[in-house]
Amino acid sequence: MSVVKINVLTVPAEQREVLEQRFASRAGAVENSDGFEWFELLRPVEGTDQYLVYTRWRSEEDFKAWMEGPMKAAHQNGPAGEAPKRPAASGSTLWSFEVVQSAGPKA
Ligand code: HEM
């Protein structure tokens, strides 16, 4: 059963563009991670300043292996030796779900 891990990023209005630019130049390493199934960056349209970083994984173990490995490299906050970039998000929370049921468009 797949698991969904959503990183909830609180992003002040004036930091939205910075965050989206950072994701636009993200490492792209997660795509090569074992058991990785899907990634989406969701921008809030109204009523909240929270972006959702949606990821889906084949198993909890696959997610944990990514968090202990490639995730660290993907969050290095800028090239080595350069001053770390100021975080665009003012807060983050991780939500965890198990996929009970799913459906896609009929072929
Ligand atoms: C303190 C908490 C975190 C913050 C502030 C944060 C912020 C960011 C930012 C700004 C990027 C864009 C690339 C960069 O600038 O490094 C990124 C990449 C990413 N983040 Fe996070 N993140 C955090 C934790 C997490 C967690 C817990 C997850 C798990 C769902 C996650 C999932 C991802 C994914 C999948 C990418 C793309 C990596 C790639 O392209 O290989 N992040 N994150």
Side-chain angles (χ1 to χ4, degrees):
M1 172 190 353
S2 296
V3 296
V4 167
K5 300 287 179 175
I6 299 175
N7 194 41
V8 183
L9 292 176
T10 302
V11 183
E14 68 281 5
Q15 289 292 327
R16 284 185 166 214
E17 217 175 305
V18 176
L19 183 90
E20 293 188 21
Q21 277 160 6
R22 292 219 177 128
F23 270 90
S25 57
R26 68 185 175 83
V30 71
E31 284 94 322
N32 306 319
S33 295
D34 198 34
F36 165 78
E37 293 182 349
W38 197 251
F39 158 79
E40 277 174 336
L41 175 64
L42 306 179
R43 171 195 303 139
V45 174
E46 60 188 9
T48 173
D49 57 358
Q50 294 182 314
Y51 278 68
L52 302 185
V53 182
Y54 174 102
T55 63
R56 197 177 72 221
W57 301 83
R58 180 181 52 200
S59 70
E60 182 73 26
E61 292 68 34
D62 293 322
F63 172 70
K64 284 213 174 85
W66 175 73
M67 286 287 280
E68 281 145 23
M71 187 266 192
K72 294 199 175 84
H75 288 81
Q76 261 188 6
N77 236 351
E82 272 193 27
K85 291 182 275 187
R86 197 167 72 83
S90 59
S92 82
T93 310
L94 183 65
W95 291 347
S96 295
F97 301 88
E98 290 173 342
V99 178
V100 178
Q101 208 176 68
S102 61
K106 286 215 164 26

